[in-house]
Amino acid sequence: MQEATYRQWDEQVTNWIDEARKNILAHFHETLDVEQKSGRRDLVTQVDKQNEQRFVAHIRAADPDARILGEEGLGDDVQDDQGRLWILDPLDGTMNFIKQRDDFAIMLSLYVDGVGQAAWLYDVMGNRLFHGAKGVGVWLNDKKMSAPKNLPLSEGLSGLSGPLVSHDVDHMQAIAATSLGMRIVGSAGIAFTKVLRGQQVCYISYLRPWDFATGKILAEELGLVVTTVDGQTPTVLSYGVVLVATKQAQKDIVAMQTA
Amino acid sequence: MQEATYRQWDEQVTNWIDEARKNILAHFHETLDVEQKSGRRDLVTQVDKQNEQRFVAHIRAADPDARILGEEGLGDDVQDDQGRLWILDPLDGTMNFIKQRDDFAIMLSLYVDGVGQAAWLYDVMGNRLFHGAKGVGVWLNDKKMSAPKNLPLSEGLSGLSGPLVSHDVDHMQAIAATSLGMRIVGSAGIAFTKVLRGQQVCYISYLRPWDFATGKILAEELGLVVTTVDGQTPTVLSYGVVLVATKQAQKDIVAMQTA
C-alpha cells in the first residue's frame, strides 16, 4: 500500500476506533447483556454487536465496493478472499471484557485479493494502538516500531492457549517447557501485541480469521512470521492452530511437530 | 492492628515503595545483569538485590527489633514465625521484568507471632498499590476496596501456574476446565491482585512465603480465603501449592482433590 493511502485510511480508522473505545467505556460500570454463542465460554455482549454495527456502517460509507468479514456476522457472508476485504473483530477477548474489564482489543484490517494491506490493533485498556501497512511500517501510537530480536523459543516466553495446553495439542506442553515460561492472556489481540513488542517470542492458539488477520499484517511488517503450527501459510479465511513468532522460534516450534 | 498504627506504617512504607519503583524505572531501558539461581527460569537481577538491600535498611531503622525474611536472603535467617517479622519480595515476577518489562510487583508485609498485620502489594507498571491491615480494610491506591462477589469456580476465570497445569498437579486441568478459562500471568503478586479485584475467582501456584504472605493479609481482609490446595491453613513459612480464592471457589477446588 502507498504510504499516502495508508495515512488517509489511518486517519479515518483511528476515529472509528476512538468511537468504539468510548462506547466500551460507556458500558464499563454497568451489567452487560451477555449471550452464549457456541457455549459457556463463547460469549457476546451488546457492546460487541454495537461496535460491529458501527464499524460496518463506517466501512460501507468509506469503501462501498469492499466486503466485510466480522466476528458477529453483521458484515457479509464471505467465502473467498478476492477483491477488497475488511476483517473485523469489534471486541476481541469478550470473556476478559466481561470478567476482568481488562485485556481486550479491537482489530480491523484491509486485505486485497488475500494480501494484507493495512491493520489496526487497539489494546483498549492499555491505550496502545498498533497500526501500520505493508511496506510502510508499524507504529505503536505515534512511535515507529522496530523489529523484535530474532530469539529462539528457549530464550523467550511463550504465549499459549489454555485448552491447547491442557490437551497437549500439537506438543504444546513441550513448547511451554522449552520456552522460559508460558503465559495465557485470553485475547488473541493482546497476545499478538506481546509478540510485536518482543515481550514473548511466540503466541499459538486455535484462531479464526478475525483473530489473526490483523496481527498477521503487523507481525510480518516487523519481520515476524505467521504460519500454521506445521509451518504452512494460512489463508486469511483459515480456521485452525496458527502461530505468530520470531523466525527462530517458529522453526523451533515447527521442528517439534515432526520430532 | 490499630488504624493509627497502620497509617503511620503506611506513610513510611509507601515512600520506600516509591523509591524502589524509581530504582526499577531507572534501569528500565538498560541491559540487566541477570544471574540464575536454581535454574534458567529462576533469575535475579541487580535491581532485585538493590531493592531488597534498601528495604532491609529502611526496616532495620524503623523497626530494629523485627526480623526480615526476604527473597534474596539479605534479611535474616528466619526459621520460625515468632515475634515481629517483615516478609519481602523486592521484585516479584523477575522473568516478566527481564523479558516483558511488565507484570511484576513489589510485596511487603508485617506479621506478629505468625498473624498477618499489614500489607503492601504494588503493581509497578499498572501503578496500583493494594494496601491495608487486618481489621482496618484494604485500599487500591486511595480507594477503599469492597469484597469481591463470592462466585463459584464455574463462574469465574482461574489464575494458574504453567508447570502445574502441564503436569496436571492437584487436578489443575480439571480446575481449568471447570472455570471459565485459565490465565497465566507469571507473577504471584499480579495474580493475587486479579483475585482481590474480582477479575479471577482463584489463583493457585507453588508458592514460597514471600510469594503469598502479603497477598494473604489483603485477601483475608476482603473475605477471600488462602489455603493449601487440600484446604489446610498454611503457616506463613510454608512452601507448597497455595491458593487464594473466593470461599465458594475454594470449596470447589478442595472438593476436586478428593473426588
Side-chain angles (χ1 to χ4, degrees), chain B residues 71-89:
Chain B
E71 176 169 16
E72 307 311 337
L74 305 178
D76 299 298
D77 179 17
V78 175
Q79 301 295 340
D80 67 83
D81 63 5
Q82 294 308 291
R84 297 176 68 80
L85 177 63
W86 291 85
I87 302 182
L88 168 67
D89 194 333

Side-chain angles (χ1 to χ4, degrees), chain B residues 111-200:
Chain B
Y111 279 74
V112 177
D113 296 335
V115 180
Q117 302 295 323
W120 293 263
L121 195 178
Y122 184 52
D123 165 1
V124 179
M125 299 312 293
N127 191 27
R128 293 190 185 96
L129 179 63
F130 300 80
H131 50 144
K134 183 178 162 66
V136 177
V138 177
W139 284 259
L140 167 41
N141 292 333
D142 295 331
K143 197 170 175 223
K144 190 151 186 180
M145 296 183 76
S146 45
K149 269 194 211 168
N150 185 17
L151 294 176
L153 180 62
S154 61
E155 291 180 32
L157 294 167
S158 54
L160 301 178
S161 134
L164 296 189
V165 171
S166 276
H167 299 110
D168 201 19
V169 174
D170 295 334
H171 307 277
M172 252 356 99
Q173 295 178 9
I175 292 167
T178 301
S179 77
L180 287 173
M182 73 164 117
R183 301 289 182 263
I184 299 178
V185 70
S187 151
I190 299 297
F192 259 92
T193 72
K194 292 176 191 283
V195 185
L196 298 176
R197 297 172 75 190
Q199 296 176 309
Q200 298 179 2

Side-chain angles (χ1 to χ4, degrees), chain A residues 40-41 43 95-96 99-103 128 151 153-157 161-163 165-167 172-173 175-187 194 197-200, chain B residues 40-41 43 95-96 99-103 128 151 153-157 161-163 165-167 172-173 175-187 194 197-200:
Chain A
R40 71 188 184 105
R41 289 176 166 187
L43 306 175
M95 180 66 80
N96 283 348
K99 289 289 175 182
Q100 308 204 93
R101 297 289 199 273
D102 200 0
D103 286 330
R128 291 190 184 95
L151 292 176
L153 180 62
S154 61
E155 291 180 31
L157 293 167
S161 134
V165 170
S166 277
H167 299 110
M172 243 14 87
Q173 295 179 8
I175 292 167
T178 302
S179 76
L180 288 173
M182 72 164 118
R183 301 290 182 262
I184 298 178
V185 71
S187 151
K194 292 178 192 283
R197 296 171 75 191
Q199 297 176 308
Q200 298 179 2
Chain B
R40 71 189 184 108
R41 287 176 168 189
L43 306 175
M95 181 66 81
N96 282 349
K99 288 290 174 182
Q100 307 204 96
R101 297 290 198 273
D102 200 359
D103 287 329
R128 293 190 185 96
L151 294 176
L153 180 62
S154 61
E155 291 180 32
L157 294 167
S161 134
V165 171
S166 276
H167 299 110
M172 252 356 99
Q173 295 178 9
I175 292 167
T178 301
S179 77
L180 287 173
M182 73 164 117
R183 301 289 182 263
I184 299 178
V185 70
S187 151
K194 292 176 191 283
R197 297 172 75 190
Q199 296 176 309
Q200 298 179 2

Side-chain angles (χ1 to χ4, degrees), chain A residues 5-218:
Chain A
T5 312
Y6 165 67
R7 293 283 168 207
Q8 287 174 347
W9 280 118
D10 191 50
E11 201 179 318
Q12 291 193 72
V13 175
T14 302
N15 286 333
W16 306 344
I17 288 174
D18 193 53
E19 183 187 356
R21 179 185 71 86
K22 285 179 181 146
N23 188 46
I24 289 168
L25 296 181
H27 291 277
F28 218 60
H29 298 288
E30 61 187 55
T31 305
L32 298 164
D33 299 335
V34 179
E35 286 170 43
Q36 292 190 5
K37 295 195 288 186
S38 64
R40 71 188 184 105
R41 289 176 166 187
D42 184 19
L43 306 175
V44 64
T45 73
Q46 77 272 37
V47 182
D48 301 65
K49 290 181 192 168
Q50 287 165 0
N51 277 1
E52 179 147 323
Q53 208 162 30
R54 291 177 195 195
F55 274 110
V56 166
H58 286 307
I59 297 166
R60 297 263 190 245
D63 197 1
D65 295 335
R67 291 181 301 160
I68 304 168
L69 176 62
E71 175 168 18
E72 307 312 337
L74 305 178
D76 299 296
D77 179 17
V78 175
Q79 301 294 339
D80 68 83
D81 63 5
Q82 294 308 290
R84 296 176 68 80
L85 178 64
W86 291 85
I87 302 182
L88 168 66
D89 194 332
L91 208 168
D92 170 71
T94 301
M95 180 66 80
N96 283 348
F97 173 57
I98 294 168
K99 289 289 175 182
Q100 308 204 93
R101 297 289 199 273
D102 200 0
D103 286 330
F104 53 88
I106 295 167
M107 294 192 276
L108 180 62
S109 49
L110 172 63
Y111 279 73
V112 177
D113 296 334
V115 179
Q117 302 295 323
W120 293 264
L121 194 178
Y122 183 51
D123 165 2
V124 179
M125 300 310 294
N127 191 27
R128 291 190 184 95
L129 178 64
F130 299 80
H131 49 145
K134 183 178 161 67
V136 176
V138 177
W139 285 259
L140 196 183
N141 294 334
D142 296 331
K143 197 171 173 221
K144 190 151 187 179
M145 296 183 76
S146 45
K149 269 194 212 168
N150 185 18
L151 292 176
L153 180 62
S154 61
E155 291 180 31
L157 293 167
S158 54
L160 302 178
S161 134
L164 295 189
V165 170
S166 277
H167 299 110
D168 202 20
V169 175
D170 295 334
H171 306 278
M172 243 14 87
Q173 295 179 8
I175 292 167
T178 302
S179 76
L180 288 173
M182 72 164 118
R183 301 290 182 262
I184 298 178
V185 71
S187 151
I190 300 296
F192 258 92
T193 71
K194 292 178 192 283
V195 185
L196 298 177
R197 296 171 75 191
Q199 297 176 308
Q200 298 179 2
V201 290
C202 68
Y203 166 59
I204 315 175
S205 188
Y206 184 92
L207 299 177
R208 295 153 307 165
W210 42 83
D211 294 318
F212 73 86
T214 295
K216 180 174 188 284
I217 296 172
L218 301 171

Side-chain angles (χ1 to χ4, degrees), chain A residues 170-172 175 204 216 220 225-235 238 240-258:
Chain A
D170 295 334
H171 306 278
M172 243 14 87
I175 292 167
I204 315 175
K216 180 174 188 284
E220 289 175 349
V225 285
V226 175
T227 70
T228 64
V229 77
D230 50 358
Q232 306 299 307
T233 305
T235 78
S238 299
V241 178
V242 170
L243 67 86
V244 53
T246 64
K247 290 194 171 87
Q248 280 291 346
Q250 189 262 5
K251 275 185 204 158
D252 298 336
I253 294 161
V254 171
M256 292 170 85
Q257 304 306 316
T258 52

